[in-house]
Amino acid sequence: MLPTEAPQPDLTTLAQPATLSGNVESSSIAPSFLKNFLNDNPYFQAGFGLMTLGVGLTVMRKSLVVGTAALRRRMLVTLEINNKDRAYEWFLAWMSSQHAIQAQKRLAPWTRSHQLSVETTVEQRKNGSSSAMFKLVAGPGTHYFQYKGAWMQVKRERETKSMHLMSGTPWETVTLTTLSRDRGLFPQLLSEARDLAMKGHEGKLVIHTAWGIEWRPFGQPRLKRPLKSVVLAPGVAENIESDIKAFLDRRQWYADRGIPYRRGYLLHGPPGSGKTSFIQALAGSLSYDICVLNLSERGLADDKLFHLLSNAPERSFVLIEDIDAAFNKRVQTSEDGYQSSVTFSGFLNALDGVASGEERIIFMTTNHVEKLDPALIRPGRVDLMQLIDDATPEQACILFERFYGGRDIQQEISEEEVKALSTTLRTLIQQEMENERTVSMAALQGFFIRNDARGAVAKCRDLFTQRR
Ligand SMILES: Nc1ncnc2c1ncn2[C@@H]1O[C@H](COP(=O)(O)OP(=O)(O)OP(=O)(O)O)[C@@H](O)[C@H]1O
């Protein structure tokens, strides 16, 4: 028989049972193997148990975090103060004052804090002397304190990676946290801090300087100088004082006519005649602050200047000294050859400012009024120009009698003799003035400090110089 006759197996039917039988076998083996493996392998059982525990713990932790956050949201309230805001300094000073009170009363520390920073300030005493004072303020970190029976958490954080571009100081925030029900204490606490800061300024003159585009208090507030202590020629002080008072009384008048509410003053005259002293004393007498603007400051450009002049603190005079040095040639170059980026036209623009209802009082001083560009001193930019000159005989006599007359106990000199010496001084000054020779009030003041009354009158001719 030919092999071809042999019955050919059906390949498809053959293959199928074979495959099927194979699957049936493996499926029956696998569960039993897996079962045996799971049941008999202690390592696997322990791992599985641990995994279940881990998952359980993670879920619990997550729910705890979510729950705490929800609870915090419902029960706690936070207040963020950053160092761009004035309340920042007030709050830190207030915290430090509470520390000091507690220490004075020898009570337990008021805050629960272990991270303190020191702030050194120079305090000026009434007699003119000064002393350095240290204040301990809450440093970066977390602190706790009680205020009116409520516990508060203070978190002071300092940004180390970025800083204030203009001033170079790091960004800082303090976050206060307390119970929601005590949220009403925040405004109370901030008002207390503000009032405390204002109290420290009472009767004092605050000087601000530019920090980038911001004004910041410079040093400690100074004792106000009595206006009468600056002795000017008859009528000069009264003239400026009455002008500024009239301006301050006419806010509505300016608003009704749409005139920008600003006034510019230029005090000119020789060095040491009392220009700066008078502006400071006037600011003090009106309870105004002074913002000192230095046009040659590095980094000051037209845009920053515009911003600074438009955003001076309320109730303040802007003081720009020696304006001739800044712009007499319409280019400003400092001693080291550095050229300020403030342009003359930028400065005029900043002086004019945007026509706003905001009050702006600018005082400029110069020793050389003749060098100033007429555009700078036109009305609207400078509304009152006043010469503050070298000592007149009257000014010198008033200063002399203030120094040596009245209650001066160091000298054995009678009031009559002081009067007689004062008359001699008057005649002497008149004679010198006829010869075009003058003396500054600053020079007289320095001379009176160093000499007794008789010596001062006898030797004061040496102080006079030819009028420039
Ligand atoms: N008219 C004055 N009355 C009382 N003291 C004066 C007077 N003028 C000057 N002095 C005293 O002289 C010192 C210098 O005065 P001040 O700086 O005010 O002068 P200034 O005119 O602004 O000078 P400069 O033009 O150089 O800036 C101060 O200590 C001040 O007390």
Side-chain angles (χ1 to χ4, degrees):
M1 290 240 302
L2 283 171
T4 47
E5 285 168 9
Q8 294 292 312
D10 181 348
L11 285 177
T12 50
T13 49
L14 265 179
Q16 263 179 348
T19 318
L20 272 174
S21 69
N23 279 350
V24 168
E25 262 175 45
S26 63
S27 64
S28 62
I29 290 165
S32 62
F33 167 75
L34 207 64
K35 219 167 164 186
N36 291 345
F37 178 78
L38 294 179
N39 289 341
D40 301 345
N41 191 330
Y43 296 111
F44 181 82
Q45 280 180 357
F48 188 72
L50 276 177
M51 192 182 84
T52 318
L53 196 70
V55 170
L57 281 177
T58 310
V59 170
M60 263 170 66
R61 199 164 54 88
K62 280 254 160 78
S63 8
L64 205 69
V65 170
V66 172
T68 318
L71 211 65
R72 272 178 76 93
R73 266 201 304 278
R74 278 190 73 80
M75 295 190 61
L76 300 178
V77 55
T78 60
L79 172 80
E80 192 184 279
I81 317 171
N82 65 42
N83 62 344
K84 275 182 281 177
D85 199 286
R86 292 176 76 189
Y88 185 83
E89 293 300 328
W90 296 344
F91 173 74
L92 288 187
W94 177 84
M95 263 191 95
S96 132
S97 76
Q98 302 300 311
H99 257 299
I101 293 170
Q102 211 74 354
Q104 249 175 16
K105 293 184 185 165
R106 294 178 189 278
L107 295 173
W110 172 74
T111 53
R112 301 277 161 84
S113 52
H114 301 279
Q115 289 140 307
L116 299 170
S117 296
V118 67
E119 253 180 30
T120 311
T121 51
V122 178
E123 191 105 331
Q124 224 182 336
R125 299 205 195 92
K126 278 220 158 95
N127 62 7
S129 64
S130 55
S131 63
M133 320 270 285
F134 300 108
K135 259 196 303 184
L136 294 185
V137 297
T142 307
H143 316 264
Y144 296 90
F145 70 91
Q146 248 186 328
Y147 177 67
K148 298 198 173 171
W151 274 102
M152 299 208 176
Q153 185 201 55
V154 184
K155 226 180 194 172
R156 182 173 174 190
E157 286 165 310
R158 184 173 288 160
E159 182 63 69
T160 47
K161 291 203 185 89
S162 64
M163 48 178 66
H164 195 301
L165 271 183
M166 302 293 183
S167 59
T169 47
W171 295 113
E172 288 195 5
T173 44
V174 281
T175 311
L176 297 178
T177 308
T178 192
L179 289 174
S180 285
R181 57 150 211 233
D182 296 323
R183 63 170 63 222
L185 291 178
F186 284 154
Q188 285 181 41
L189 191 156
L190 289 178
S191 310
E192 226 174 85
R194 182 207 51 212
D195 293 347
L196 185 81
M198 294 298 127
K199 209 165 138 209
H201 292 181
E202 249 169 47
K204 302 218 174 130
L205 175 72
V206 181
I207 308 273
H208 303 260
T209 48
W211 271 68
I213 53 164
E214 281 175 21
W215 291 104
R216 293 250 189 111
F218 177 73
Q220 285 301 298
R222 300 160 188 213
L223 289 177
K224 284 181 186 173
R225 179 173 182 159
L227 198 52
K228 289 249 173 297
S229 77
V230 187
V231 188
L232 301 186
V236 169
E238 294 75 10
N239 181 28
I240 304 171
E241 201 185 353
S242 63
D243 185 278
I244 203 159
K245 282 188 173 159
F247 168 74
L248 294 175
D249 286 343
R250 293 173 86 189
R251 181 187 283 270
Q252 196 53 47
W253 186 92
Y254 277 81
D256 293 345
R257 285 156 188 79
I259 306 172
Y261 190 47
R262 56 171 183 249
R263 195 115 183 118
Y265 296 87
L266 176 70
L267 305 192
H268 61 99
S273 53
K275 298 179 288 297
T276 313
S277 308
F278 177 73
I279 296 165
Q280 293 195 353
L282 184 65
S285 80
L286 296 169
S287 297
Y288 268 59
D289 293 353
I290 291 206
C291 297
V292 179
L293 186 63
N294 178 7
L295 291 175
S296 354
E297 195 171 288
R298 250 168 224 273
L300 188 65
D302 289 352
D303 53 345
K304 285 186 196 165
L305 179 69
F306 191 92
H307 185 90
L308 283 167
L309 283 186
S310 312
N311 291 283
E314 273 172 39
R315 292 186 71 86
S316 62
F317 295 170
V318 175
L319 172 61
I320 309 171
E321 296 221 71
D322 300 325
I323 194 83
D324 58 290
F327 288 116
N328 57 350
K329 294 186 207 81
R330 292 196 175 209
V331 181
Q332 191 190 352
T333 314
S334 71
E335 275 166 17
D336 60 357
Y338 166 75
Q339 227 167 29
S340 157
S341 26
V342 175
T343 64
F344 185 68
S345 62
F347 178 56
L348 294 186
N349 259 340
L351 278 185
D352 297 341
V354 277
S356 72
E358 293 301 314
E359 169 190 303
R360 189 202 286 178
I361 301 171
I362 297 183
F363 274 90
M364 292 182 266
T365 69
T366 178
N367 297 137
H368 303 282
V369 70
E370 70 287 351
K371 290 188 185 170
L372 296 183
D373 195 298
L376 177 61
I377 50 180
R378 73 143 170 79
R381 291 184 183 133
V382 170
D383 303 286
L384 194 147
M385 250 165 76
Q386 179 67 59
L387 168 68
I388 313 280
D389 213 345
D390 277 334
T392 62
E394 293 74 26
Q395 279 173 273
C397 289
I398 295 173
L399 196 68
F400 181 82
E401 287 172 33
R402 285 223 182 119
F403 261 79
Y404 303 109
R407 289 151 284 130
D408 190 46
I409 43 156
Q410 287 185 343
Q411 292 182 94
E412 305 214 335
I413 185 166
S414 64
E415 275 299 301
E416 291 71 38
E417 194 180 350
V418 171
K419 282 269 172 222
L421 283 168
S422 175
T423 315
T424 314
L425 182 68
R426 179 188 299 267
T427 320
L428 190 150
I429 293 181
Q430 276 162 352
Q431 287 168 357
E432 290 290 331
M433 282 176 80
E434 280 162 20
N435 294 325
E436 289 291 304
R437 282 162 58 81
T438 55
V439 64
S440 72
M441 288 293 276
L444 282 179
Q445 175 186 275
F447 196 65
F448 292 166
I449 291 172
R450 295 192 305 273
N451 292 282
D452 63 17
R454 293 178 199 120
V457 175
K459 292 185 277 182
C460 87
R461 268 192 207 274
D462 301 343
L463 293 177
F464 286 78
T465 53
Q466 207 65 38
R467 186 185 266 286
R468 276 149 292 178

